Amino acid sequence: MSALQQSVYLGFVISIFAYMCGAWLKQKLGWAVLNPLLVSVVLVIGFLLVFHIDYNTYNSSASLISYLLTPATVCLAIPLYRQLELLKKHFAAVGVAIVSGVFTSAACIFAMSLVFKLEHETYISLLPKSITTAIGMGVSEEVGGMVTVTVVCIIITGIFGNIIGETIFKVFGIREPMAKGLALGTSAHAIGTAKALELGEVEGAMSSLSIAVAGLMTVVVVPLVAGLI
């Protein structure tokens, strides 16, 4: 095994560097498709293939990133706290928006599964696609889904939402900051929240709230609808 493969922080360094490259490209070119996370995934995969580094070696040396994920998510409470009065004022509207988002996601997966005649295991693996990875993995495992498929779908959903979110708002004339934040957080979890924070503090606060509430609601909803297919 080479010295490169033996490096304890190999995965951590590769991941951070790849993300920085993605962020630089996005800032330099301004293309929506150059999402830093998407670019970093492509760069990391390319690096591992070129230097013949197996996934387990990379994953074990990138565990520090997973460790930092929880405190980073908790930090999303800061913009929410700053907009607490706004939340209290529009509590009912916020609740309806998040509930609608969760049930719409479940309904779309159900309809798609019927149209494409997906098997039960695939159907339940897709149900948690719009919530944050930590919660989605647990939900998928609990109902007997394929956790790997769930994680991939969660990542794809987040990146896709991050890329097209702003365009969707322009097409449908959505200008209300709260509506933008709630839509991004409910449909595209943490990656969508990154875009919401770029749009503004109100958007970021509402999106942060949506991650937590939508995640908890999905934990309740998925077991109820898992037996439909």
Side-chain angles (χ1 to χ4, degrees):
M1 184 179 292
S2 67
L4 182 63
Q5 291 176 308
Q6 291 177 329
S7 174
V8 177
Y9 298 107
L10 171 68
F12 178 78
V13 173
I14 294 172
S15 301
I16 295 298
F17 179 74
Y19 188 85
M20 290 175 63
C21 289
W24 179 81
L25 282 173
K26 176 67 182 298
Q27 185 178 19
K28 193 75 174 177
L29 300 176
W31 298 349
V33 72
L34 291 177
N35 178 274
L37 182 59
L38 178 60
V39 173
S40 63
V41 168
V42 174
L43 290 178
V44 168
I45 292 175
F47 184 90
L48 298 182
L49 289 174
V50 169
F51 290 95
H52 305 290
I53 300 173
D54 64 273
Y55 173 76
N56 290 331
T57 300
Y58 162 76
N59 189 43
S60 61
S61 57
S63 58
L64 184 59
I65 294 179
S66 300
Y67 176 78
L68 295 173
L69 183 61
T70 300
T73 304
V74 172
C75 288
L76 293 173
I78 295 175
L80 177 60
Y81 176 76
R82 291 175 178 170
Q83 301 296 329
L84 197 57
E85 290 303 317
L86 186 63
L87 172 60
K88 292 178 180 178
K89 183 179 179 181
H90 301 282
F91 183 79
V94 169
V96 171
I98 297 176
V99 170
S100 300
V102 171
F103 278 93
T104 299
S105 175
C108 288
I109 293 299
F110 175 71
M112 183 189 72
S113 298
L114 289 179
V115 171
F116 292 100
K117 299 179 180 179
L118 300 181
E119 296 180 355
H120 172 73
E121 191 177 20
T122 305
Y123 163 64
I124 58 178
S125 300
L126 295 176
L127 283 173
K129 70 173 182 60
S130 293
I131 60 176
T132 188
T133 308
I135 302 176
M137 290 172 64
V139 173
S140 179
E141 187 175 7
E142 182 181 346
V143 296
M146 297 176 284
V147 177
T148 305
V149 173
T150 300
V151 171
V152 171
C153 290
I154 289 173
I155 293 174
I156 293 174
T157 300
I159 292 176
F160 191 64
N162 184 294
I163 292 173
I164 71 167
E166 199 167 1
T167 301
I168 293 295
F169 297 148
K170 291 178 180 178
V171 170
F172 290 94
I174 301 173
R175 299 182 180 85
E176 170 57 47
M178 288 184 62
K180 292 180 180 180
L182 291 168
L184 286 168
T186 304
S187 62
H189 49 84
I191 306 177
T193 300
K195 169 57 70 174
L197 289 167
E198 291 178 15
L199 298 177
E201 187 169 339
V202 174
E203 290 90 332
M206 293 302 106
S207 188
S208 302
L209 173 67
S210 299
I211 292 177
V213 179
L216 293 174
M217 285 194 61
T218 303
V219 170
V220 176
V221 170
V222 169
L224 296 177
V225 300
L228 295 178
I229 291 181

